[in-house]
Amino acid sequence: MQVEQKISEIEVDKEIASLFEPLLGDTEHLIWTGQPKQGFVLRLSDLLFFPLMIFIFIFAAFLLYISVSTTDGMAVTAIFFLFLSISILYSRLVGDIKRRKQTYYVLSNHRVFIRQDYPKELPIIIRYEDLQRLDLVQQGSGYGKILLDYVGKGSRFLASRYNQDAAYQAMGAKRLEETPAFKDIENAQKVYDIIKTYKNQISRN
């Protein structure tokens, strides 16, 4: 099969696979595992974000400095903005790195899996036949994002018939409003082709 030849060029990470193997059906096997690009990744929005956060931090520090000679509530305001700027910066820098490290993308011969363990567990399982639309956004150097639009999005995660799925129950039902995606993955074009091929093959059967 042509898709199997493409898959043979991509390794399945054993550590990631071990997280999903208990959820697989009798005729189901993993064909690809991946994660977002690791470490700190600079975004276009950071061109505005970081200067703004630095400005807020300096402004708060200045308020705290001049509040030493005053008796009003300026110190409280300064401390609030200092805490706010530090919290937002921590979330963007450290939080984003943790989120990427604990996000897993998996393809089986039947379904698509997304698991995010930080900051809270967010499991997503989608059957190929329920994928309504696939969109690939190339980001350069082979990396990209694959948008996975599916039946039932925006109501209860997937359709109600999935409540009988043991694997789905094991990972928990979640309400999901935005379109799930494989974000910042390597070999995005190849992974996109694999998903599309399986989707088309299952749709013809």
Side-chain angles (χ1 to χ4, degrees), residues 81-178:
F81 278 107
L82 276 174
F83 178 78
L84 179 64
S85 59
I86 291 173
S87 298
I88 295 175
L89 283 170
Y90 177 87
S91 177
R92 173 64 186 94
L93 297 174
V94 180
D96 187 61
I97 292 174
K98 286 185 176 181
R99 187 179 303 108
R100 289 172 178 274
K101 188 174 181 60
Q102 298 182 41
T103 297
Y104 311 98
Y105 304 134
V106 169
L107 299 177
S108 78
N109 57 322
H110 292 166
R111 295 176 292 179
V112 176
F113 298 82
I114 299 176
R115 174 172 169 171
Q116 179 181 301
D117 292 342
Y118 180 88
K120 60 181 180 179
E121 187 177 354
L122 178 62
I124 301 171
I125 307 174
I126 310 171
R127 301 192 309 181
Y128 289 115
E129 55 263 45
D130 289 314
L131 288 171
Q132 291 181 313
R133 179 178 175 181
L134 289 173
D135 287 310
L136 173 63
V137 181
Q138 296 280 12
Q139 297 171 337
S141 302
Y143 284 87
K145 176 169 67 173
I146 302 174
L147 297 170
L148 306 162
D149 201 2
Y150 62 87
V151 174
K153 179 173 65 65
S155 53
R156 185 172 179 80
F157 166 50
L158 300 187
S160 60
R161 62 181 178 275
Y162 284 84
N163 293 337
Q164 304 303 318
D165 189 321
Y168 170 63
Q169 290 179 341
M171 297 192 77
K174 298 288 183 180
R175 182 175 294 276
L176 195 67
E177 301 298 336
E178 65 177 83

Side-chain angles (χ1 to χ4, degrees), residues 72-85:
D72 55 22
M74 189 179 294
V76 176
T77 303
I79 292 173
F80 170 77
F81 278 107
L82 276 174
F83 178 78
L84 179 64
S85 59

